[in-house]
Amino acid sequence: MPWQVIEHASVEKVKEEGGGEDESSTKFRGNCTILTRNLTSFRFMAHPNFLLPGAGLKDQKDGIATGHCTMVARNLNMERLQSNYLFPEISARELEHVKKYPNAEVISLGIGDTTEPIPELITSAMSDCALSLSTIEGYRGYGAEQGNMELRKAIAQTFYGNLPIKDTEVFVSDGSQCDISRLQLLLGSNVTIAVQDPSFPAYIDSSVIIGQAGDFQYETGKYTNIEYMKCGPQNNFFPDLSNTSRTDVIFFCSPNNPTGYAASREQLEQLVEFARENGSIIMYDSAYAAYITDESPRSIYEIPGAREVAIEVSSFSKLAGFTGVRLGWTVVPEELSFSNGFPVRNDFNRIVCTCFNGASIIAQAGGLACLSPEGVKATLSLVDYYKENTRILVDSFASLGLEVYGGVNAPYVWVHFPGSRSWDVFNEILEKTHIITVPGNGFGPGGEEFIRATTFGRRETILEASARLKSLFR
């Protein structure tokens, strides 16, 4: 078996002198998770392919092409995925709507894509980097897979301040969503997972693809092997951990996408303690931390003990408008270990070195500019712009007597339509106002009766959307 569950044990520290990023022989004494190391991923032996004799061909009407087929069977985990990934499905419906109403001015409050220009001091840094590549002195090829060390240091200092985050624990990437899949590859198919319900679809879909999820149950809208942690208004958007089954991995996003809710310090203390007691690893997504306006923690590492049980992924996308530039990071603390004491960081470093050639040096130059004193000021100005958009949409929905959540610590508004199906509300809003939203049940069964509206948009667009929504629901 590639995985087995064992009990907690103190692990003696053993370190052979190695150097570099891959100190693969280092182990730590103290708390270990109950997750054993993914033996399959790091065995580096030939793996049997999905090879089966060719079966009978189906017609095109079934979505299968006629004609020649290989003898390679389709990955069964891909067949377990339900329909299309949520956001491409919404884009497809938008295209259908535009064909139906070619003269309509469609407003998108759907996919959370930034709209404001990147500050010039940041684009200038990227431009200078790109131009330098045309010179003998400035040309650079491959960089470190883990990222530019100067940027890693800047991330540790800027986002984690006095927290004990080392630059060597920061892995720069092409975005947090990509890192989520790399982390799934790290963990392998035999771990058990828990997700907030509702939650960002990538957590579940990547779990299905890697083989963790089991079969889909149409009657519940859930996968059999995933623990769905209900997070709604009835429990202040935080799961009842006393009734939550133990899993190896807990995906947790705060501020949450889609609900916009940021967990309090007390709630995150409960989560960390729950993970420590159960030997679990928390996959903490802090992509919207810059939008927090109250005292909610911006990092899981603000909580004592989190370094032994948590990995944090984050991104420049919604902070600096890098949704197209692509730049993010993942923090894997040295103290985080598998059940045998082997450092998780070392295996993640191997995953990164095997599956990734490093983030673009041009994007990393932009990241460094973001973290300069002038860059921080400019990016926070962008955040403030979207926060004002959020206030406008929250006030608009609330003025209609609707139950509105989120919008305080995140650029998302989570609106309740009691007794209505999410896709029905989505369709009605689109048909009658030409506004794209996101149906709540696209984020899991806990999102039924809700829609999510993003507040990324031009101010005049947000104001127009507000006027159309008021006209519809009054």
Side-chain angles (χ1 to χ4, degrees):
M1 291 177 59
W3 288 84
Q4 56 181 331
V5 175
I6 66 175
E7 297 301 321
H8 278 283
S10 294
V11 180
E12 293 297 319
K13 181 178 180 181
V14 180
K15 181 176 180 180
E16 298 176 3
E17 292 302 321
E21 290 284 351
D22 190 13
E23 297 176 352
S24 59
S25 58
T26 303
K27 298 182 182 180
F28 295 92
R29 178 188 293 112
N31 181 75
C32 293
T33 67
I34 302 183
L35 275 75
T36 58
R37 188 184 184 207
N38 182 348
L39 299 182
T40 301
S41 294
F42 294 92
R43 196 173 285 143
F44 294 98
M45 296 173 61
H47 192 280
N49 293 324
F50 291 97
L51 295 176
L52 293 174
L57 301 179
K58 296 185 179 181
D59 296 331
Q60 182 67 45
K61 66 181 181 180
D62 295 321
I64 308 296
T66 59
H68 175 76
C69 288
T70 69
M71 296 177 66
V72 182
R74 187 185 181 202
N75 183 338
L76 294 179
N77 293 326
M78 297 300 295
E79 294 184 3
R80 290 190 172 100
L81 289 169
Q82 296 304 299
S83 186
N84 294 328
Y85 187 65
L86 176 61
F87 299 113
E89 173 67 21
I90 289 172
S91 294
R93 295 192 181 213
E94 180 179 358
L95 288 174
E96 291 177 6
H97 185 78
V98 170
K99 289 179 181 179
K100 184 178 179 181
Y101 300 101
N103 297 321
E105 293 184 7
V106 176
I107 294 175
S108 179
L109 303 181
I111 299 172
D113 194 2
T114 51
T115 59
E116 295 310 291
I118 297 172
E120 186 175 355
L121 71 95
I122 297 170
T123 56
S124 292
M126 291 190 283
S127 176
D128 290 346
C129 180
L131 287 172
S132 73
L133 297 175
S134 64
T135 68
I136 293 295
E137 300 78 15
Y139 177 77
R140 287 174 287 167
Y142 291 122
E145 291 89 346
Q146 302 84 3
N148 178 328
M149 184 53 76
E150 186 180 0
L151 177 57
R152 297 169 77 186
K153 289 179 179 178
I155 289 171
Q157 293 169 0
T158 304
F159 294 110
Y160 299 99
N162 295 325
L163 299 175
I165 300 299
K166 301 177 182 179
D167 49 30
T168 54
E169 297 171 328
V170 177
F171 293 80
V172 177
S173 71
D174 52 347
S176 57
Q177 185 163 349
C178 300
D179 271 346
I180 288 167
S181 293
R182 294 185 190 109
L183 288 166
Q184 292 281 31
L185 187 61
L186 165 77
L187 295 167
S189 60
N190 289 343
V191 297
T192 54
I193 73 160
V195 298
Q196 293 160 288
D197 182 24
S199 69
F200 183 51
Y203 310 143
I204 291 177
D205 279 15
S206 62
S207 298
V208 175
I209 292 170
I210 205 72
Q212 301 164 350
D215 294 324
F216 186 74
Q217 298 177 309
Y218 288 94
E219 62 276 13
T220 63
K222 300 178 180 180
Y223 286 92
T224 54
N225 295 344
I226 294 179
E227 176 76 9
Y228 289 76
M229 304 183 297
K230 181 73 173 179
C231 296
Q234 69 280 5
N235 60 2
N236 202 23
F237 295 98
F238 188 79
D240 179 359
L241 297 177
S242 65
N243 290 320
T244 300
S245 299
R246 186 234 169 237
T247 60
D248 296 317
V249 179
I250 304 167
F251 282 94
F252 198 90
C253 180
S254 179
N256 180 263
N257 178 11
T259 66
Y261 181 81
S264 68
R265 186 171 302 277
E266 180 182 1
Q267 289 173 333
L268 291 181
E269 287 172 351
Q270 295 175 30
L271 181 66
V272 168
E273 182 60 27
F274 181 77
R276 290 176 62 84
E277 290 176 354
N278 287 285
S280 305
I281 291 178
I282 300 167
M283 295 293 182
Y284 191 82
D285 188 340
S286 64
Y288 301 96
Y291 290 82
I292 292 177
T293 58
D294 58 22
E295 298 303 312
S296 302
R298 296 181 178 224
S299 169
I300 190 67
Y301 301 120
E302 294 182 38
I303 308 304
R307 287 181 58 86
E308 295 180 335
V309 296
I311 293 171
E312 182 166 302
V313 297
S314 200
S315 172
F316 284 87
S317 289
K318 309 304 167 59
L319 168 68
F322 272 31
T323 51
V325 175
R326 308 307 306 146
L327 193 67
W329 71 91
T330 290
V331 177
V332 187
E334 292 178 350
E335 292 91 331
L336 182 65
S337 301
F338 291 109
S339 59
N340 66 351
F342 194 88
V344 175
R345 174 187 168 277
N346 290 14
D347 274 358
F348 186 63
N349 183 69
R350 185 59 184 264
I351 289 286
V352 168
C353 292
T354 301
C355 303
F356 186 50
N357 275 334
S360 160
I361 59 174
I362 298 171
Q364 292 189 75
L368 270 171
C370 288
L371 302 185
S372 68
E374 298 81 7
V376 169
K377 182 178 179 180
T379 55
L380 291 180
S381 178
L382 286 177
V383 170
D384 287 341
Y385 182 92
Y386 294 126
K387 284 182 178 179
E388 177 61 17
N389 284 353
T390 305
R391 185 195 63 77
I392 292 169
L393 275 185
V394 167
D395 289 349
S396 297
F397 281 115
S399 71
L400 299 170
L402 296 168
E403 299 176 67
V404 185
Y405 303 94
V408 175
N409 292 314
Y412 297 117
V413 180
W414 189 240
V415 189
H416 193 199
F417 292 82
S420 299
R421 293 173 58 86
S422 295
W423 277 108
D424 290 343
V425 177
F426 169 90
N427 289 329
E428 181 182 7
I429 292 175
L430 178 58
E431 185 70 21
K432 296 181 179 179
T433 68
H434 307 300
I435 294 175
I436 301 288
T437 57
V438 183
N441 68 353
F443 300 98
E448 189 63 272
E449 298 187 353
F450 289 84
I451 62 160
R452 190 200 76 176
T454 178
T455 60
F456 293 116
R458 299 293 301 157
R459 182 64 44 75
E460 59 269 22
T461 302
I462 297 297
L463 291 170
E464 173 63 20
S466 174
R468 293 187 195 180
L469 290 167
K470 289 178 178 178
S471 176
L472 172 63
F473 290 111
R474 272 188 175 154

